[in-house]
Amino acid sequence: MDQVYYCPVCGDVTFDSVLTGSEKENKCLSCGSDLQGTGKDHDTFWERSDDKQERRRLLKRLAETVREEYVYGNPLFDKEKYEAREQKERERIARNKAGLNPLDNLPRCPTCGSTNLTRLSGVGLITMFGAFGVTDGNAGKTFRCNNCGYRW
């Protein structure tokens, strides 16, 4: 079950499948408050209708549906923290649209696209070449992909 969680203070909505870091400890990344579980999984919210277009609409506004049902009427809800979180989200989206995402500048494996890379050491290549008179195939290579093993 991919349970839906929400922050009753700032209205952040997340799921079991994407919880990371402090969220694993049931803390909101935006404001640090305790996350609350809805007791419902992700699919429950959009399976309320048999109409495909209505399901798409429900899926697109899933976070807002959770906020309407669990956050806005909650006595812990803080409008200022909600607006600050929304502003940060709008800024993040604008940076992504402008191509200013810091992850855009990471090297990627040309074979599988992974960013899980190891930089190959030039010292190891020199030692390898000097000791044995042959290379291990890494001469002129800078990176090694930790997912597929490709070197370039």
Side-chain angles (χ1 to χ4, degrees):
M1 177 166 118
D2 191 17
Q3 184 176 190
V4 179
Y5 291 88
Y6 66 95
C7 175
V9 176
C10 72
D12 191 27
V13 176
T14 189
F15 312 97
D16 271 333
S17 60
V18 295
L19 289 176
T20 60
S22 61
E23 287 180 319
K24 284 284 190 191
E25 300 163 8
N26 286 335
K27 296 288 184 190
C28 175
L29 289 178
S30 297
C31 70
S33 301
D34 291 333
L35 291 175
Q36 305 292 318
T38 62
K40 299 177 183 177
D41 69 351
H42 180 268
D43 296 337
T44 303
F45 289 94
W46 66 275
E47 289 178 342
R48 296 177 178 181
S49 174
D50 291 331
D51 181 45
K52 285 185 180 184
Q53 286 187 330
E54 177 65 11
R55 279 185 169 198
R56 271 191 223 117
R57 188 187 71 74
L58 288 170
L59 187 58
K60 282 183 181 178
R61 56 170 298 187
L62 176 70
E64 190 59 29
T65 301
V66 171
R67 287 185 199 109
E68 288 170 357
E69 291 183 21
Y70 296 95
V71 177
Y72 296 142
N74 193 313
L76 298 174
F77 179 63
D78 184 334
K79 182 93 169 150
E80 289 177 10
K81 289 185 179 182
Y82 168 79
E83 289 172 356
R85 183 192 53 75
E86 287 288 309
Q87 180 62 31
K88 283 182 186 176
E89 181 68 11
R90 284 190 294 273
E91 289 170 1
R92 183 190 65 79
I93 290 169
R95 280 193 312 273
N96 285 346
K97 285 182 179 177
L100 300 176
N101 185 347
L103 297 178
D104 288 344
N105 295 328
L106 292 177
R108 295 185 178 275
C109 173
T111 303
C112 70
S114 171
T115 57
N116 184 10
L117 309 174
T118 301
R119 189 172 186 92
L120 298 174
S121 168
V123 174
L125 294 173
I126 293 169
T127 304
M128 188 76 171
F129 184 78
F132 301 105
V134 294
T135 67
D136 64 351
N138 288 336
K141 310 269 196 273
T142 308
F143 293 103
R144 178 185 164 299
C145 177
N146 295 325
N147 286 348
C148 70
Y150 183 73
R151 297 169 189 206
W152 74 102

